[in-house]
Amino acid sequence: MTDTINLPLGMQEKYVEAEKLIKEAGSIQVYSHIDCDGMSAGAIISTILDREEKEHDIDFVNLDKLEDLEINHDLTIFSDLGSGQPVDKNAKDNSKIIILDHHPPLRDLDYKDSVPYTYLEINPMHYGIDGSDNVSGGGLSYFLAKQFGYTDLSWIGVLSAVGDMQNSRTGKLEGLNRIILQDSVDTGYVSYNSDLSLYGRETRPLFVALAYFSDVNLPITNNRNEAIAVLDELGIPRKVGDRFRTLCDLDNMEKGKLFSELVRMMSMEVPGRYIQYIPKLVAADSYDFLYEENHTFLRDASEFSTAMNACGRNKEYSVACEILKGNRTDALDALEVISKEHKMNLRKSIEQITKANSIVEMENLQYFDGSGIKTEIVGTIAGMILSYGNWQKPMIGFTQISENNPDLKISLRCSRLLAYDGIHFGNIIREVSQSLGGNGGGHSVACGAYIPYDKKDEFLNLFNQKLEGKI
């Protein structure tokens, strides 16, 4: 990493202010989001407060809960959320609020001067920095940790960026994420190198990883026998001793063979305009956590982030937080149980959709009715179901928010190739959902929304119209 990247001066000054507010605070409440990025951000802040011997409460919340939150503590900190919601609605004149968020902000830099309470918001978008791929919520929390001198927490900043898919467009961490990555390397917590973009580098048998390679539908997609045939044809052994080989077992020559084959296969399946981007989908930087054991899911950033998301999807936020803060005993045992249950729920949901042929294709999108599927996993399901549909269109899933709330949770996933067409689905889903009395947002290739229960058809038609000429 030779490029010199610095935190903007305005952001640096705000971190100094944030440090002062924390040191002077009595009671502290932390609110953070429920995904890997949010839980990582919350764990970093909680660790800072522990080390500063500051008593605090931490809650992980979904975005639809933010308007009704009470501001009763001396200091309230929002991480990986808050910029796009009226979180200060219930603030009192003596309230103190810190927001560390990378999502599009509702309020400008001058907002703090218009309110009677202390309001400190640190958002990269106020400084012309894209929060989608330059820094995550956990990254912003790490810069607060760095202000306190705790650079050993940089590895969590790397994890949060990977969990937030900040590397999905180019296969690398960019922008302010590079500062965090360099800190994690300098402290000896992380190493990184270019590798094949197959999920499960440490733990998944290689032929299984190939069968799940799904940005584009290939002969190997959801076909383990075909994946085995490809490995055999390339002369890549499937086992070492009695153990199936994983990606991390391959030498550079074997990886080179597999890289060339995947590029060849994908080039045959995509329109010509996408061919230049294929190498970025097949190979990308991978990140190893050096203090974790080899061939465990905690060693690889992608696998670690999936485990954290499993906790979030199953509302086991405290387990994720404990693991991120260093608990490798009781919390790790609990995580193994959570992960097994999570995989079982995913498998049942996918079977429900595929057996019923529930994917409906429209001119510019495709969708499925996820009735009965938990809101926490409908986004994961949308990403996995994409390989059963048309990869050239986004996949949208709907499910009811809860038994007591008939409104709809929407999740969208798509092939990373569509991002190279300049489509930002997060912006589109925000615009469409807000026009129908809901709200939403997210990233270019992964986003979500909430809408009234009777607006489903209208949402689909409006979204389909917005994509006219783009797909």
Side-chain angles (χ1 to χ4, degrees), residues 431-438 451-452 455-456 458-460 462:
E431 181 183 348
V432 173
S433 61
Q434 288 179 347
S435 73
L436 298 175
I451 62 170
K455 297 293 185 180
K456 176 181 174 181
E458 196 172 348
F459 173 89
L460 287 169
L462 283 173

Side-chain angles (χ1 to χ4, degrees), residues 30-33 38 41-42 45 77-81 98 100-101 137 141:
V30 180
Y31 292 110
S32 202
H33 200 205
I45 292 174
I77 303 174
F78 296 91
S79 59
D80 192 39
L81 42 69
I98 297 175
L100 304 169
D101 195 6
S141 291

Side-chain angles (χ1 to χ4, degrees), residues 249-292:
D249 292 316
L250 269 60
D251 61 34
N252 289 336
M253 184 174 294
E254 291 172 317
K255 289 180 180 179
K257 289 180 182 179
L258 195 49
F259 172 84
S260 298
E261 179 62 13
L262 288 172
V263 169
R264 184 193 69 79
M265 293 171 67
M266 291 183 72
S267 297
M268 294 176 65
E269 300 292 337
V270 304
R273 70 180 185 277
Y274 291 131
I275 291 177
Q276 61 178 312
Y277 304 118
I278 288 176
K280 293 181 180 180
L281 298 188
V282 177
D285 282 352
S286 63
Y287 306 93
D288 287 339
F289 298 127
L290 301 180
Y291 282 77
E292 308 295 346

Side-chain angles (χ1 to χ4, degrees), residues 104 132 424-432 440-444 447 463:
S132 296
H424 196 296
F425 288 104
N427 292 339
I428 297 172
I429 206 169
R430 179 185 301 109
E431 181 183 348
V432 173
H443 302 285
S444 58
C447 54
F463 207 97

